mmCIF file with all atom_site columns, all heavy atoms in Angstrom:
data_model
loop_
_atom_site.group_PDB
_atom_site.id
_atom_site.type_symbol
_atom_site.label_atom_id
_atom_site.label_alt_id
_atom_site.label_comp_id
_atom_site.label_asym_id
_atom_site.label_entity_id
_atom_site.label_seq_id
_atom_site.pdbx_PDB_ins_code
_atom_site.Cartn_x
_atom_site.Cartn_y
_atom_site.Cartn_z
_atom_site.occupancy
_atom_site.B_iso_or_equiv
_atom_site.pdbx_formal_charge
_atom_site.auth_seq_id
_atom_site.auth_comp_id
_atom_site.auth_asym_id
_atom_site.auth_atom_id
_atom_site.pdbx_PDB_model_num
ATOM 1  N N   . GLN A 1 1   ? 0.829   -1.183 0.000  1.00 56.00 ? 28  GLN A N   1
ATOM 2  C CA  . GLN A 1 1   ? 0.000   0.000  0.000  1.00 56.00 ? 28  GLN A CA  1
ATOM 3  C C   . GLN A 1 1   ? 0.880   1.254  0.000  1.00 56.00 ? 28  GLN A C   1
ATOM 4  O O   . GLN A 1 1   ? 2.016   1.230  0.430  1.00 56.00 ? 28  GLN A O   1
ATOM 5  C CB  . GLN A 1 1   ? -0.905  0.022  1.223  1.00 56.00 ? 28  GLN A CB  1
ATOM 6  C CG  . GLN A 1 1   ? -2.025  -0.980 1.143  1.00 56.00 ? 28  GLN A CG  1
ATOM 7  C CD  . GLN A 1 1   ? -3.036  -0.818 2.258  1.00 56.00 ? 28  GLN A CD  1
ATOM 8  O OE1 . GLN A 1 1   ? -2.716  -0.333 3.327  1.00 56.00 ? 28  GLN A OE1 1
ATOM 9  N NE2 . GLN A 1 1   ? -4.257  -1.238 2.008  1.00 56.00 ? 28  GLN A NE2 1
ATOM 10 N N   . GLN A 1 38  ? -13.093 10.048 12.494 1.00 96.00 ? 65  GLN A N   1
ATOM 11 C CA  . GLN A 1 38  ? -13.505 8.797  13.131 1.00 96.00 ? 65  GLN A CA  1
ATOM 12 C C   . GLN A 1 38  ? -13.637 9.014  14.630 1.00 96.00 ? 65  GLN A C   1
ATOM 13 O O   . GLN A 1 38  ? -12.658 9.326  15.310 1.00 96.00 ? 65  GLN A O   1
ATOM 14 C CB  . GLN A 1 38  ? -12.503 7.671  12.843 1.00 96.00 ? 65  GLN A CB  1
ATOM 15 C CG  . GLN A 1 38  ? -12.973 6.316  13.349 1.00 96.00 ? 65  GLN A CG  1
ATOM 16 C CD  . GLN A 1 38  ? -12.018 5.186  13.006 1.00 96.00 ? 65  GLN A CD  1
ATOM 17 O OE1 . GLN A 1 38  ? -10.831 5.397  12.795 1.00 96.00 ? 65  GLN A OE1 1
ATOM 18 N NE2 . GLN A 1 38  ? -12.547 3.976  12.934 1.00 96.00 ? 65  GLN A NE2 1
ATOM 19 N N   . SER A 1 43  ? -17.033 3.854  12.617 1.00 94.00 ? 70  SER A N   1
ATOM 20 C CA  . SER A 1 43  ? -16.321 3.788  11.355 1.00 94.00 ? 70  SER A CA  1
ATOM 21 C C   . SER A 1 43  ? -16.074 5.209  10.840 1.00 94.00 ? 70  SER A C   1
ATOM 22 O O   . SER A 1 43  ? -16.695 6.165  11.308 1.00 94.00 ? 70  SER A O   1
ATOM 23 C CB  . SER A 1 43  ? -17.113 2.958  10.344 1.00 94.00 ? 70  SER A CB  1
ATOM 24 O OG  . SER A 1 43  ? -18.331 3.567  10.038 1.00 94.00 ? 70  SER A OG  1
ATOM 25 N N   . GLY A 1 99  ? -3.583  7.079  6.509  1.00 94.00 ? 126 GLY A N   1
ATOM 26 C CA  . GLY A 1 99  ? -2.575  7.403  7.492  1.00 94.00 ? 126 GLY A CA  1
ATOM 27 C C   . GLY A 1 99  ? -3.009  6.874  8.848  1.00 94.00 ? 126 GLY A C   1
ATOM 28 O O   . GLY A 1 99  ? -4.131  6.369  9.012  1.00 94.00 ? 126 GLY A O   1
ATOM 29 N N   . GLN B 2 38  ? -9.056  -2.843 11.722 1.00 95.00 ? 140 GLN B N   1
ATOM 30 C CA  . GLN B 2 38  ? -8.447  -1.770 12.510 1.00 95.00 ? 140 GLN B CA  1
ATOM 31 C C   . GLN B 2 38  ? -8.195  -2.264 13.921 1.00 95.00 ? 140 GLN B C   1
ATOM 32 O O   . GLN B 2 38  ? -9.146  -2.584 14.658 1.00 95.00 ? 140 GLN B O   1
ATOM 33 C CB  . GLN B 2 38  ? -9.352  -0.533 12.534 1.00 95.00 ? 140 GLN B CB  1
ATOM 34 C CG  . GLN B 2 38  ? -8.715  0.670  13.223 1.00 95.00 ? 140 GLN B CG  1
ATOM 35 C CD  . GLN B 2 38  ? -9.591  1.909  13.153 1.00 95.00 ? 140 GLN B CD  1
ATOM 36 O OE1 . GLN B 2 38  ? -10.804 1.831  13.207 1.00 95.00 ? 140 GLN B OE1 1
ATOM 37 N NE2 . GLN B 2 38  ? -8.958  3.070  13.041 1.00 95.00 ? 140 GLN B NE2 1
ATOM 38 N N   . SER B 2 43  ? -4.545  2.665  12.402 1.00 88.00 ? 145 SER B N   1
ATOM 39 C CA  . SER B 2 43  ? -5.419  3.080  11.311 1.00 88.00 ? 145 SER B CA  1
ATOM 40 C C   . SER B 2 43  ? -6.040  1.870  10.618 1.00 88.00 ? 145 SER B C   1
ATOM 41 O O   . SER B 2 43  ? -5.743  0.724  10.943 1.00 88.00 ? 145 SER B O   1
ATOM 42 C CB  . SER B 2 43  ? -4.628  3.901  10.301 1.00 88.00 ? 145 SER B CB  1
ATOM 43 O OG  . SER B 2 43  ? -5.503  4.503  9.375  1.00 88.00 ? 145 SER B OG  1
ATOM 44 N N   . LEU B 2 46  ? -6.354  -2.092 4.721  1.00 94.00 ? 148 LEU B N   1
ATOM 45 C CA  . LEU B 2 46  ? -7.137  -2.819 3.730  1.00 94.00 ? 148 LEU B CA  1
ATOM 46 C C   . LEU B 2 46  ? -6.738  -4.287 3.754  1.00 94.00 ? 148 LEU B C   1
ATOM 47 O O   . LEU B 2 46  ? -5.548  -4.621 3.682  1.00 94.00 ? 148 LEU B O   1
ATOM 48 C CB  . LEU B 2 46  ? -6.901  -2.226 2.344  1.00 94.00 ? 148 LEU B CB  1
ATOM 49 C CG  . LEU B 2 46  ? -7.654  -2.879 1.192  1.00 94.00 ? 148 LEU B CG  1
ATOM 50 C CD1 . LEU B 2 46  ? -9.166  -2.699 1.358  1.00 94.00 ? 148 LEU B CD1 1
ATOM 51 C CD2 . LEU B 2 46  ? -7.209  -2.293 -0.146 1.00 94.00 ? 148 LEU B CD2 1
ATOM 52 N N   . GLY B 2 109 ? -19.445 0.971  6.116  1.00 96.00 ? 211 GLY B N   1
ATOM 53 C CA  . GLY B 2 109 ? -20.370 0.390  7.069  1.00 96.00 ? 211 GLY B CA  1
ATOM 54 C C   . GLY B 2 109 ? -19.988 0.818  8.472  1.00 96.00 ? 211 GLY B C   1
ATOM 55 O O   . GLY B 2 109 ? -18.926 1.408  8.683  1.00 96.00 ? 211 GLY B O   1
#
Side-chain angles (χ1 to χ4, degrees):
Chain A
Q28 287 188 333
Q65 187 177 24
S70 64
Chain B
Q140 186 176 35
S145 190
L148 180 64

